[in-house]
Amino acid sequence: MAIEQEIFKKIAEFSTIIIHRHQRPDPDAYGSQGGLAEILQTAFPEKKIYAVGENIHGLSWINQPVEIDSKLYQNALVIVTDTANQPRIDGKHFNEGKFLIKIDHHPNEDPYGDLCWVNANASSCSEMIVDFVNAIQELQLTAAAARMLYAGIIGDTGRFMYDATTPHTMRVTAQLMEYDFDQAAVNRKMDNISLPVARLAAYVYQNLQITDHHAAYIVLKRETMEKFALKDAGTAPIVPLPGKIIGIKCWTIIVQQKDHSFRLRIRSKGPIINELAKEYHGGGHPLASGAVMADESEIPAYIKKLDAIAAGYTGEEND
Ligand code: AMP
């Protein structure tokens, strides 16, 4: 039986379905989770279906996840979307259901779950949810689901700019656009930035450091973030900015956390950077990864490694 059919068989069996996604969610986490919940609720109005997790202010226009009583897990099917490894799952009860399913598009480093469907060639988990609907006769899209999934796809592809965008991504997007939602409004929402983020963007461009071999980096310490009245989530819109500069091959935004550790956000226009992320307890896609660092003293060695990766890159300049 195809994996989509196996997943659907489980969905049909359970009357309670709880859908999780990753911590520090992005539009694809919200879109794939919310889109799947909406699709399943439409097909099975009698089932209790919950999209759970912390409700992030900047993403609440996509969907509003809920917090639920842990007792609900006792007889539930749990599905986790867009989350490569278990420590990154938002919500500590995900393992307390009767059956666990992973649906994801990141490299399958941690194949958790009783059923695991991973397609690392998909642009986004939202794209996979459309594939799922298309594979299952009993399921159909709705305008509300199409809007969430569209937001997820344009989020993870940088509005079709990144490598992960395929002809299939565009076909799936075209399918979503057939539904009645305000696509231009979603595009605007995804492009909007607050004034503090705009000021942080200016700071990033002003203070960006460039290594000998065209890797770029900036360290955003607690005091800087406080000066701009921004929390960690406020860094998301500035992560792509160094990549707009001609000649920059790869870059990292290093963000100090409340506990004074550092979050490493790493991006690339060609050199493979997820092996570097793994060295720092992280991982991710070849051109978009994240990791963590305990202490500031490790930063110079980390930047040297990123510079060496840029130096070793012989592929085309991808400006
Ligand atoms: P971010 O910079 O946090 O948006 O992360 C980019 C990508 O890197 C995510 O989509 C994840 O695939 C991956 N990633 C980020 N942080 C981690 C981590 N701590 N462990 C494993 N993968 C991560």
Side-chain angles (χ1 to χ4, degrees), residues 85 88 106 263 265-267 281-285 288-292:
N85 38 19
R88 286 200 90 212
H106 298 91
R263 175 183 186 188
R265 311 192 74 173
I266 323 166
R267 301 291 188 270
H281 319 288
H285 306 276
S289 290
V292 287

Side-chain angles (χ1 to χ4, degrees), residues 13-262:
E13 271 173 31
F14 281 83
S15 54
T16 301
I17 300 172
I18 303 170
I19 309 176
H20 285 247
R21 38 82 181 156
H22 59 81
Q23 300 164 344
R24 289 174 169 156
D26 52 19
D28 188 34
Y30 256 60
S32 57
Q33 177 196 36
L36 179 62
E38 157 77 14
I39 290 157
L40 298 185
Q41 195 69 81
T42 304
F44 301 104
E46 72 289 359
K47 290 188 196 289
K48 298 272 180 231
I49 297 173
Y50 305 97
V52 300
E54 190 190 350
N55 202 347
I56 305 291
H57 174 68
L59 293 173
S60 59
W61 63 272
I62 300 177
N63 191 38
Q64 285 101 40
V66 293
E67 308 246 342
I68 59 169
D69 193 321
S70 59
K71 288 194 199 92
L72 288 169
Y73 284 80
Q74 276 165 13
N75 290 307
L77 166 66
V78 178
I79 303 178
V80 183
T81 66
D82 196 36
T83 313
N85 38 19
Q86 294 172 76
R88 286 200 90 212
I89 299 173
D90 186 21
K92 55 183 186 296
H93 300 293
F94 76 91
N95 239 337
E96 296 171 14
K98 273 256 164 73
F99 199 88
L100 179 64
I101 299 178
K102 170 183 181 180
I103 302 179
D104 187 35
H105 73 120
H106 298 91
N108 199 7
E109 306 284 349
D110 177 9
Y112 61 85
D114 303 298
L115 273 179
C116 175
W117 178 31
V118 169
N119 178 4
N121 294 320
S123 69
S124 52
C125 195
S126 296
E127 180 180 312
M128 291 179 72
I129 300 300
V130 183
D131 291 337
F132 181 59
V133 173
N134 290 339
I136 306 294
Q137 222 180 357
E138 292 87 341
L139 297 180
Q140 57 187 20
L141 288 165
T142 65
R147 178 179 163 280
M148 291 187 251
L149 296 167
Y150 177 85
I153 292 173
I154 63 170
D156 257 31
T157 61
R159 220 182 294 162
F160 312 116
M161 200 173 73
Y162 306 144
D163 264 14
T165 310
T166 64
H168 182 67
T169 311
M170 303 311 277
R171 280 191 287 272
V172 161
T173 307
Q175 182 186 346
L176 295 174
M177 286 170 67
E178 298 288 348
Y179 289 81
D180 184 20
F181 68 94
D182 189 343
Q183 173 221 335
V186 175
N187 292 343
R188 273 195 304 278
K189 278 274 189 197
M190 298 287 288
D191 207 34
N192 281 347
I193 52 171
S194 67
L195 187 59
V197 170
R199 300 234 195 269
L200 178 65
Y203 177 87
V204 168
Y205 276 136
Q206 197 74 46
N207 294 282
L208 195 67
Q209 305 291 311
I210 318 276
T211 67
D212 291 347
H213 301 98
H214 311 287
Y217 67 98
I218 188 160
V219 182
L220 299 173
K221 298 195 61 173
R222 298 273 311 151
E223 54 265 32
T224 306
M225 294 303 287
E226 277 161 19
K227 198 172 96 190
F228 289 102
L230 285 171
K231 300 211 172 81
D232 179 81
T235 60
I238 57 106
V239 173
L241 298 184
K244 291 178 190 275
I245 302 169
I246 295 169
I248 297 297
K249 293 182 185 169
C250 50
W251 64 101
T252 183
I253 310 278
I254 304 168
V255 190
Q256 194 173 31
Q257 305 294 299
K258 254 196 219 145
D259 64 0
H260 293 267
S261 69
F262 290 85

